[in-house]
């Protein structure tokens, strides 16, 4: 790299942000701009030239996959590296599906973050080893939607959960027993490799609009 890579670091946690900034500055190949929220990050994107974004998914003003989508909507060619504490394969797959160029866990070694930036800047897709391994276990390839393996019934349940309905309300809406609704949710958790009902609900909220669209007749 002859010219310094212009990196936008979006991270609300002060210690993590400072640590990352120091790591990048010590590396000597980057010029770092820091943002503490999604709104601040989007403002920087509008005002300054940025080559690569390091994006935390847990932001105070609307993080998650939606933050990634909003950044890419603002600048479709942007190279975004997700830097998150969430290692659930479904999150990784969702981020890649939404257009992230890489995914590094906060549990990874600092050198991995630098390696990821080099590779992404060169045009590659990069997943840290730990993340890639978990993704492989789920049998989802980058670029393939994690929800593809769900049945129509499961998608219906997911869409309702994403709208904030309880399992009892989901059961009533679909005209099935609570036990049946709970069994469908449990089956989805197993398919998506999610450790808790909370993780399933978080996924449902993040994918709410996408799931609803896929449920619309004629869109298959
Ligand atoms: Ca955070």
């Amino acid at each position: 790299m002859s010219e310094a890579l212009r990196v936008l670091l979006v991270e609300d946690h002060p210690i993590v942000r400072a640590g990352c900034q120091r790591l990048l500055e010590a590396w000597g190949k980057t010029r770092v701009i820091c943002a503490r929220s999604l709104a601040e990050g989007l403002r920087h994107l509008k005002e300054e030239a940025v080559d690569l974004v390091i994006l935390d998914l847990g932001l105070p003003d609307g993080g998650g996959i939606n933050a990634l989508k909003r950044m890419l909507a603002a600048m479709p060619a942007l190279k975004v590296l997700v830097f998150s504490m969430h290692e659930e394969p479904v999150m990784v797959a969702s981020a890649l599906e939404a257009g992230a160029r890489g995914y590094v866990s906060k549990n990874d070694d600092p050198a991995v973050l630098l390696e990821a930036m080099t590779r992404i800047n060169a045009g590659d897709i990069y997943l840290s080893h730990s993340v890639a391994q978990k993704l492989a276990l789920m049998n989802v390839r980058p670029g393939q939607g994690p929800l593809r393996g769900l049945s129509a019934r499961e998608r219906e349940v997911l869409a309702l959960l994403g709208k904030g309905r309880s399992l009892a309300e989901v059961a009533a809406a679909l005209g099935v027993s609570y036990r049946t609704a709970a069994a469908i949710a449990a089956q989805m958790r197993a398919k998506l490799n999610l450790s808790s009902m909370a993780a399933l609900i978080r996924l449902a909220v993040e994918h709410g609009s996408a799931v609803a669209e896929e449920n619309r007749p004629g869109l298959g």
Side-chain angles (χ1 to χ4, degrees):
M1 269 171 271
S2 49
E3 274 186 27
L5 190 64
R6 290 159 302 191
V7 176
L8 172 62
L9 170 64
V10 188
E11 167 67 67
D12 63 317
H13 194 291
I15 296 176
V16 177
R17 191 172 61 242
C20 266
Q21 190 175 6
R22 219 167 300 143
L23 174 75
L24 296 177
E25 283 170 357
W27 195 35
K29 296 178 180 176
T30 57
R31 195 169 69 77
V32 188
I33 309 161
C34 287
R36 290 164 296 183
S37 65
L38 175 61
E40 220 177 287
L42 289 169
R43 201 163 57 237
H44 280 301
L45 275 188
K46 222 184 264 176
E47 292 166 359
E48 298 174 63
V50 169
D51 298 310
L52 198 151
V53 176
I54 299 177
L55 179 66
D56 172 29
L57 288 184
L59 294 170
D61 58 340
I65 303 298
N66 284 330
L68 172 65
K69 285 182 176 165
R70 284 187 59 190
M71 292 218 141
L72 288 170
M75 205 173 283
L78 194 64
K79 290 169 175 159
V80 181
L81 168 63
V82 173
F83 181 53
S84 175
M85 56 183 292
H86 299 298
E87 293 180 353
E88 294 103 332
V90 71
M91 283 296 281
V92 181
S94 301
L96 292 170
E97 197 193 9
R101 309 303 301 271
Y103 202 110
V104 170
S105 161
K106 286 184 180 169
N107 292 321
D108 281 317
D109 194 89
V112 171
L113 188 66
L114 302 181
E115 167 75 4
M117 290 173 54
T118 305
R119 296 271 298 276
I120 289 169
N121 189 46
D124 293 343
I125 300 268
Y126 183 89
L127 300 176
S128 70
H129 184 65
S130 58
V131 164
Q133 222 166 20
K134 287 188 180 146
L135 196 63
L137 285 177
M138 193 186 150
N139 207 13
V140 170
R141 272 169 289 137
Q144 195 180 68
L147 305 183
R148 200 158 292 179
L150 297 185
S151 70
R153 195 53 147 181
E154 287 166 341
R155 283 166 191 274
E156 275 182 298
V157 171
L158 198 65
L160 289 167
L161 288 175
K163 288 180 188 154
R165 308 282 173 81
S166 68
L167 265 185
E169 289 167 336
V170 169
L174 298 181
V176 299
S177 71
Y178 178 86
R179 265 178 74 175
T180 301
I184 295 170
Q187 194 174 310
M188 260 192 291
R189 273 178 48 195
K191 274 189 186 177
L192 298 169
N193 209 4
L194 295 170
S195 54
S196 66
M197 189 63 195
L200 180 65
I201 289 169
R202 190 170 68 216
L203 174 80
V205 170
E206 300 225 317
H207 282 272
S209 55
V211 172
E213 258 164 42
E214 284 171 41
N215 270 339
R216 234 185 281 149
L219 284 178

